[in-house]
Amino acid sequence: MTQWRSICPAARLPVERGVAALVDGEQVAVFRTSDDRLHAVSNHDPFSGAMVISRGIVGSRGERHTVASPVFKQVFDLETGQCLDDPAVSLVVHLVRVHDGVVEVALEAQALSA
Amino acid sequence: MTPSSQARRTLVVVGHGMVGHRLVELAVEKGLTDTWDVVVHAGEALPAYDRVGLSSFFRGTTADELCLVTDGFFDHAALDLRLSDPVVSVDVDTRTVTAASGRVTGYDALVLATGSTAFVPPLPGATGPGRFVYRTLDDLERIQAASVGRRTGAVVGGGLLGLEAADALRSLGLETTVVEFAPRLMPVQVDEAGGQALRRLVEDLGVAVRTSSVTQVIETTDAGLRMVFSDGDPLDVDLVVFSAGIRPDDALARAAGLMTAERGGVLVDDACAASAPDVYAVGECASAAGRCWGLVAPGYDQAAVVVDRLRGGGRAFTGADLSTKLKLMGIDVASFGDAHAETPGALELVWADPVAGVYKKLVVSDDARTLLGGMLVGDASAYPVLRPLVGAQIPGNPADLVLPERGVAPVGIGAAALPPTAQVCSCRDVTKAQICAAVSEGGCRDLRAVKACTGAGTVCGSCVGLVNDLVTTELDVLGVVVSNALCEHFDLSRAELFEVVRVKGLATWSAVLAEHGRGRGCDICKPTVASILASIDGQYVLDGERGGLQDTNDHMLANMQKDGTYSVVPRIPGGEVTPGNLIVIGQVAQDFGLYTKITGGQRIDLFGARVEQLPLIWKRLVDAGMESGHAYGKSLRTVKSCVGQTWCRFGVQDSTSLAIELELRYRGLRSPHKVKMAVSGCARECAEARSKDFGVIATENGWNLYVGGNGGFRPRHADLFLQDVDTETVVRTIDRVLMLYVFTADRLQRTAPWVEAMEGGIEHLRAVVMDDSLGLCAELDAAMVRHVATYSDEWADTLADPERLARFTSFVNAPDVADPSIAFVQERGQIRPARPDEKPLVAGPTLPVRHLDRIVEGVRA
Ligand code: SRM
Ligand SMILES: Cc1cc2nc3c(=O)[nH]c(=O)nc-3n(C[C@H](O)[C@H](O)[C@H](O)COP(=O)(O)OP(=O)(O)OC[C@H]3O[C@@H](n4cnc5c(N)ncnc54)[C@H](O)[C@@H]3O)c2cc1C
Ligand code: SF4
Ligand code: FES
């Protein structure tokens, strides 16, 4: 079963920017984009090794919603986790939703086992 | 010797000046060096340098920058450059040259390229201390040394070079007089009326002019030198520079028995061959096609002829264009073609505006249809377009070519109207067709590439504007869109975007995006727009939408490091810090366990702070009366200072106070890229001001201001912009240049490339901020006043507002938890980030990395 974890009130999420959350020991970067969609990916930047994806700039490339690593500026697709500058690399994508005004995240591992 | 090297022949070149070097370059370019070895004897200690640009030495251009030899050029196996070893004799029978060192070299071909020497009129007292000529870098260094502490100078000779020399003396701070024997300045190039207009312009520069003045004797007095003239009062000066013409240096040739011309110069035929077999002469030492040509372009042409002949070709030198343009700060004079209307039946079209100091004359054929020549005084902007039109049919009404209200390059005579054979660059003999081909066939996509590929525009620079026009037109023809769009979301460049935001008064990202962009933005356009908005209204950078636009560093008001921690760099204006503040910084570092290092910018960097620690650190600084500083952001970094007059025995002004004033004035101003400044207390330059965007160096009389310096990736010395000005002028000028930079530079363009790319260069910049040539100064001043008035400590502002503080946590759902991925080890008594193999096992990416498109669908809220 998907194990949803409460993160924070939905109002606490900035628009077009991310926050980091600690979910069962995992660091998750949660974003709300200007069209009010939520995205959750691993906070781990595969290029620098630092836990900083939540501090990147969000935006778009073509139709895709993206976040750019603040360290070396690689751009990732928020939907799929795919790095658009280096197709061999991806971020782990987690599940995210708003439930009763609260943001909830489910880690990818738990989602898989569901 | 191997057989193959025996088969090689030897070319000896005497003289490594501009033309001698061009010949060697061509020998390599054209493959002559496949079969020839080239030995070059140079009289000077420095390899060939740009004599045409010599005067820029006084504006800060170094000998290195003037050097014409590209790095590694003489590493070529076939080339042998022998510096400081002039040839003392030539023996055309044994085919050998003997150098001052005693070295004897045999030649299969010999080229004399000894140039010319400055002519010093044979009048009593013409030589001795305080008397100089203006020809070599050594001469200029001597003049510079002699001018220190002196007040007055005179130049004998009011021609092209004399005026350059006069301007140089003036820039060295001397009250300068030009003494010309003819009734007007530049008698060769301009007529009586043009001479009058020119005289006024020169006098406006602050240079006194004496025409029809024959110097009879130069006496040495107790106070210095006294020049006595055939009529009028004598003139007392500290030093005299002769610039009364040049004499071809043909002494070697005479001694070797070669024929020379009546008025001097090695006599050569149209192959540039002298009167002995296999001996050639090129450049200013040669008398070719009936005369000596005192310009570099004919010399380059002659060099090409010799190289071609040595390769068995038939190229000939039959004469050259004597068009010239004076390269003087603020004075435009050009003369081209038959400027004095000597062609029978020639008509003169004259336009003069004595108030504006403009005089223009065009010489046309008797049917007024062919352009024969002309002169332009006070406004020579049409020169690059007119010169190549000489000999061609005038498109339309000839009056259009001179009348100002019809524009600089009237319709029909712009770049597009030139015939393909028109010589656009006379210095390097490059035609319009060659420039267009470099673009259409050679793949060049900008001016820089075309200059590198064709050589056009690389000597005197007067054709650069036209070359640029041709490149743009040709790219247009090819349908190549030269995109300066910011990114996929904005078609405008940063400068264009700045302009529309400013003019329309747009104040939010949404408005800017809605009016000029598409999509949702990215890490390129968002910070750019954030910076533009901040430059214009100076509002707190994190409020509302603006927070989302900022780069990580601006977003956290600190510098992110490789491990995700931050550094804090307290502002230390001008590098001056009280012991008390030093202790506070040390205490903060100790209490938070931060790694501490002195930066290259005269302040102290504290590393290893976690997001949630930043406000606590700022609070300690703010409470002690300090602020955190911008080591991030595209904004002012530091203003370095030296200790200056206050303590240093050499200091002549209070450099530290000025540095502090500048840092406090410009801190926080958001700009296209970071901005650095420095102030040195004397010419020893301990603050390294010339490597900064803005550098100020103290003089006895005030300050010299330099702009456009850069350390970093491509170091560049700043250009001298103002001399001996007071503090108020320094500040007002920096205000304007800095604001103009903020208004018009490209994204991530430092001031150095900005100045370099500026059309019209530093002169244009000077005109804009000193003479208000664009009428922008009031606006620039107002923008700076607004910045200074609205500056607010952004760290203190953050502390004052709980909502602003809320973002400074590591985890939104665990505000008290420190990021467990951050780990340090000890090194030399301080922390440093742990390397991966040193890290304890902490939460990390324990999950496989792969795509999740499958499950994402339908689950997302
Ligand atoms: C801390 C410091 C090194 C030190 O330990 O001394 C430093 C550190 C960084 N420099 Fe620097 N530079 C530091 C002085 C300099 C200097 C010397 C100076 O300012 O006198 C230069 C050459 C001068 C110049 O800029 O012209 C310098 C030329 C650069 C450049 C190249 C700029 C260029 O135009 O080529 C970069 C890269 C960039 O900005 O794009 C850079 C970029 C950086 C960055 C921001 C790189 C990064 O993105 O992480 C470093 C982060 C600083 C931080 O605290 O996180 N740093 N950097 C110095 C801070 C001085 C200060 O108090 O503000
Ligand atoms: C201040 C200034 C501004 C100028 N501005 C312009 C301009 O705007 N446009 C323009 O077209 N021209 C200009 N000129 C002229 C231009 O510089 C010359 O036409 C050009 O340098 C001639 O080149 P050259 O090689 O013949 O002579 P040079 O450049 O004078 O070189 C000759 C070299 O030969 C060396 N030499 C002499 N004798 C010997 C020997 N026996 N053995 C070895 N070496 C020897 C000399 O030391 C010298 O280095 C300017 C000149 C000056 C001084
Ligand atoms: S020189 Fe390079 S490594 Fe050193 S501080 Fe500057 S940017 Fe960082
Ligand atoms: S005309 Fe002198 S560089 Fe082109």
Side-chain angles (χ1 to χ4, degrees):
Chain A
M1 209 204 116
T2 305
Q3 302 192 358
W4 292 102
R5 303 279 185 233
S6 303
I7 301 300
C8 63
R12 203 41 193 85
L13 284 190
V15 180
E16 292 283 294
R17 198 92 224 189
V19 295
L22 206 51
V23 182
D24 298 341
E26 293 288 334
Q27 290 202 26
V28 179
V30 183
F31 301 89
R32 176 160 73 184
T33 50
S34 56
D35 51 3
D36 227 15
R37 301 219 298 182
L38 299 186
H39 302 273
V41 295
S42 163
N43 198 29
H44 178 255
D45 172 12
F47 293 95
S48 67
M51 295 288 185
V52 292
I53 291 296
S54 58
R55 289 175 248 165
I57 291 184
V58 299
S60 62
R61 195 177 274 189
E63 294 301 308
R64 302 168 194 226
H65 286 51
T66 57
V67 62
S69 160
V71 182
F72 299 122
K73 316 288 176 188
Q74 292 87 357
V75 171
F76 299 88
D77 185 333
L78 280 173
E79 201 89 39
T80 63
Q82 172 91 55
C83 174
L84 299 177
D85 297 316
D86 181 350
V89 179
S90 300
L91 301 177
V92 178
V93 177
H94 301 292
L95 307 184
V96 60
R97 68 178 184 189
V98 175
H99 189 72
D100 288 341
V102 172
V103 180
E104 295 182 341
V105 168
L107 293 186
E108 188 252 6
Q110 279 119 9
L112 273 185
S113 60
Chain B
M1 253 191 205
T2 62
S4 75
S5 67
Q6 265 166 1
R8 291 182 70 83
R9 286 180 285 175
T10 303
L11 169 66
V12 173
V13 179
V14 185
H16 194 228
M18 296 190 75
V19 176
H21 182 61
R22 180 72 192 136
L23 188 129
V24 181
E25 277 181 350
L26 284 168
V28 174
E29 254 169 53
K30 303 285 179 200
L32 192 70
T33 42
D34 296 346
T35 48
W36 289 74
D37 290 323
V38 183
V39 175
V40 187
H41 272 279
E44 295 184 58
L46 290 173
Y49 53 84
D50 180 4
R51 205 178 300 285
V52 170
L54 198 59
S55 295
S56 67
F57 174 77
F58 289 128
R59 295 192 295 273
T61 306
T62 60
D64 261 2
E65 287 160 344
L66 285 173
C67 182
L68 292 175
V69 183
T70 49
D71 279 349
F73 179 80
F74 278 100
D75 297 343
H76 195 293
L79 304 183
D80 182 3
L81 173 64
R82 300 171 183 174
L83 292 173
S84 296
D85 196 9
V87 167
V88 292
S89 68
V90 171
D91 187 331
V92 296
D93 298 324
T94 59
R95 292 169 164 269
T96 53
V97 299
T98 306
S101 59
R103 194 158 173 180
V104 178
T105 311
Y107 66 77
D108 297 293
L110 173 68
V111 178
L112 300 175
T114 50
S116 55
T117 49
F119 170 66
V120 178
L123 51 95
T127 54
R131 288 88 161 167
F132 303 91
V133 295
Y134 199 81
R135 176 84 200 165
T136 64
L137 263 175
D138 277 351
D139 293 335
L140 268 60
E141 277 170 6
R142 276 195 285 266
I143 293 172
Q144 190 173 43
S147 71
V148 176
R150 296 307 157 95
R151 230 174 38 79
T152 55
V155 174
V156 178
L160 209 59
L161 286 189
L163 291 182
E164 255 192 72
D167 189 47
L169 292 191
R170 184 188 65 100
S171 74
L172 290 172
L174 302 182
E175 254 173 58
T176 306
T177 307
V178 177
V179 180
E180 168 59 47
F181 152 91
R184 60 173 185 273
L185 295 173
M186 290 180 61
V188 182
Q189 289 84 8
V190 302
D191 59 14
E192 189 49 44
Q196 275 173 21
L198 175 57
R199 179 185 186 124
R200 274 192 297 274
L201 294 171
V202 171
E203 286 172 343
D204 284 350
L205 271 187
V207 172
V209 177
R210 281 177 85 131
T211 48
S212 302
S213 234
V214 184
T215 314
Q216 287 195 314
V217 55
I218 298 177
E219 296 165 354
T220 306
T221 64
D222 291 344
L225 305 177
R226 165 161 299 172
M227 302 173 73
V228 181
F229 306 101
S230 49
D231 57 351
D233 296 336
L235 179 67
D236 288 327
V237 291
D238 294 318
L239 56 95
V240 175
V241 175
F242 287 101
S243 185
I246 53 172
R247 291 292 173 267
D249 194 347
D250 56 10
L252 271 183
R254 279 176 200 276
L258 295 173
M259 280 164 67
T260 52
E262 205 174 310
R263 306 187 56 194
V266 186
L267 200 60
V268 298
D269 62 13
D270 67 357
C272 295
S275 59
D278 301 312
V279 180
Y280 300 83
V282 293
E284 286 190 346
C285 70
S287 177
R291 59 172 297 167
C292 290
W293 305 78
L295 294 172
V296 70
Y300 281 0
D301 197 11
Q302 293 159 5
V305 167
V306 171
V307 170
D308 185 61
R309 293 286 173 148
L310 292 176
R311 296 174 65 240
R315 189 168 168 153
F317 178 83
T318 52
D321 178 12
L322 276 177
S323 304
T324 40
K325 185 164 182 287
L326 180 70
K327 316 176 296 295
L328 259 204
M329 225 187 247
I331 298 191
D332 253 12
V333 184
S335 115
F336 51 97
D338 180 13
H340 290 288
E342 281 155 6
T343 311
L347 305 173
E348 297 181 44
L349 291 166
V350 173
W351 185 81
D353 177 353
V355 181
V358 174
Y359 173 82
K360 297 179 184 177
K361 182 172 96 178
L362 291 184
V363 179
V364 296
S365 60
D366 49 7
D367 59 357
R369 299 195 47 196
T370 307
L371 182 65
L372 299 176
M375 60 187 70
L376 305 167
V377 180
D379 171 16
S381 49
Y383 170 72
V385 182
L386 290 177
R387 193 188 45 71
L389 271 182
V390 170
Q393 291 263 320
I394 299 169
N397 181 352
D400 285 346
L401 304 180
V402 270
L403 293 185
E405 61 270 29
R406 320 227 177 153
V408 167
V411 212
I413 73 150
L418 291 178
T421 51
Q423 188 195 45
V424 170
C425 174
S426 59
C427 291
R428 291 294 291 266
D429 185 16
V430 186
T431 61
K432 174 178 168 180
Q434 286 168 303
I435 289 166
C436 296
V439 175
S440 58
E441 290 149 37
C444 297
R445 284 296 170 267
D446 55 19
L447 177 65
R448 193 182 290 249
V450 170
K451 281 169 86 172
C453 162
T454 63
T458 56
V459 185
C460 74
S462 60
C463 60
V464 170
L466 184 57
V467 176
N468 194 36
D469 287 352
L470 284 172
V471 173
T472 317
T473 331
E474 192 63 18
L475 285 174
D476 246 13
V477 171
L478 290 181
V480 177
V481 184
V482 194
S483 172
N484 52 5
L486 203 52
C487 62
E488 67 173 80
H489 307 104
F490 287 92
D491 293 334
L492 302 179
S493 68
R494 179 202 172 272
E496 292 163 340
L497 202 53
F498 189 98
E499 195 52 25
V500 297
V501 171
R502 189 174 67 89
V503 171
K504 293 190 181 170
L506 303 178
T508 62
W509 159 255
S510 305
V512 177
L513 187 67
E515 292 213 16
H516 298 283
R518 65 178 80 84
R520 291 178 32 250
C522 64
D523 59 313
I524 292 176
C525 57
K526 281 182 165 181
T528 304
V529 171
S531 158
I532 290 174
L533 294 173
S535 305
I536 291 176
D537 65 18
Q539 279 179 28
Y540 180 73
V541 294
L542 297 182
D543 275 353
E545 275 182 331
R546 292 196 187 182
L549 309 177
Q550 307 291 350
D551 258 325
T552 309
N553 288 353
D554 298 75
H555 190 235
M556 289 293 157
L557 307 174
N559 287 61
M560 181 191 271
Q561 303 300 318
K562 61 195 283 186
D563 61 347
T565 64
Y566 287 84
S567 78
V568 174
V569 194
R571 184 173 312 284
I572 301 184
E576 182 184 271
V577 59
T578 62
N581 282 352
L582 206 49
I583 288 169
V584 171
I585 294 173
Q587 206 73 60
V588 169
Q590 196 157 52
D591 293 352
F592 290 86
L594 305 174
Y595 168 78
T596 307
K597 179 180 178 300
I598 308 289
T599 71
Q602 294 190 333
R603 39 187 187 174
I604 301 169
D605 205 345
L606 312 175
F607 294 84
R610 294 187 310 270
V611 175
E612 70 274 14
Q613 291 178 316
L614 290 172
L616 305 172
I617 294 172
W618 300 333
K619 180 157 189 343
R620 293 277 295 272
L621 295 172
V622 170
D623 286 349
M626 283 183 270
E627 61 178 35
S628 187
H630 297 98
Y632 59 86
K634 305 307 170 210
S635 54
L636 178 80
R637 294 297 165 84
T638 64
V639 183
K640 277 173 77 167
S641 77
C642 74
V643 62
Q645 189 184 39
T646 322
W647 291 89
C648 174
R649 63 193 157 134
F650 295 120
V652 289
Q653 304 289 345
D654 183 357
S655 46
T656 314
S657 294
L658 180 58
I660 294 171
E661 182 183 338
L662 295 177
E663 181 155 345
L664 295 179
R665 185 171 180 81
Y666 303 121
R667 64 183 165 174
L669 176 65
R670 295 310 202 266
S671 46
H673 205 318
K674 59 191 174 190
V675 174
K676 299 180 178 186
M677 306 189 187
V679 185
S680 280
C682 83
R684 286 169 189 75
E685 246 282 74
C686 299
E688 301 170 304
R690 289 199 56 206
S691 65
K692 300 297 178 218
D693 298 274
F694 295 85
V696 184
I697 302 177
T699 69
E700 297 278 352
N701 311 317
W703 307 100
N704 284 354
L705 172 64
Y706 296 80
V707 304
N710 207 160
F713 183 65
R714 197 169 72 89
R716 176 181 195 270
H717 272 155
D719 295 314
L720 179 58
F721 198 69
L722 292 182
Q723 276 186 298
D724 292 330
V725 293
D726 59 13
T727 305
E728 199 191 318
T729 310
V730 167
V731 174
R732 190 183 57 236
T733 309
I734 299 180
D735 278 2
R736 290 178 180 173
V737 178
L738 181 53
M739 258 312 161
L740 187 69
Y741 167 66
V742 169
F743 276 36
T744 63
D746 240 336
R747 171 182 168 269
L748 296 190
Q749 183 180 40
R750 293 280 300 264
T751 58
W754 174 70
V755 167
E756 281 176 2
M758 187 172 293
E759 235 173 90
I762 199 94
E763 306 301 338
H764 171 72
L765 182 59
R766 200 177 275 118
V768 174
V769 302
M770 305 307 296
D771 311 331
D772 204 7
S773 63
L774 297 182
L776 259 180
C777 288
E779 213 162 324
L780 299 174
D781 291 344
M784 192 57 83
V785 166
R786 192 166 50 241
H787 162 72
V788 174
T790 56
Y791 176 78
S792 167
D793 175 342
E794 50 202 50
W795 306 274
D797 292 346
T798 309
L799 292 171
D801 183 336
E803 228 173 88
R804 290 171 178 173
L805 272 177
R807 74 177 75 231
F808 295 92
T809 50
S810 286
F811 301 108
V812 68
N813 61 342
D816 304 324
V817 179
D819 181 344
S821 72
I822 295 170
F824 301 114
V825 295
Q826 292 282 318
E827 191 171 82
R828 293 186 295 275
Q830 301 202 64
I831 58 160
R832 68 156 170 81
R835 288 191 287 267
D837 58 315
E838 294 167 334
K839 278 199 184 179
L841 270 179
V842 293
T846 52
L847 300 169
V849 172
R850 61 200 155 78
H851 304 290
L852 283 175
D853 310 9
R854 195 168 40 86
I855 16 174
V856 166
E857 265 171 81
V859 185
R860 211 167 280 269

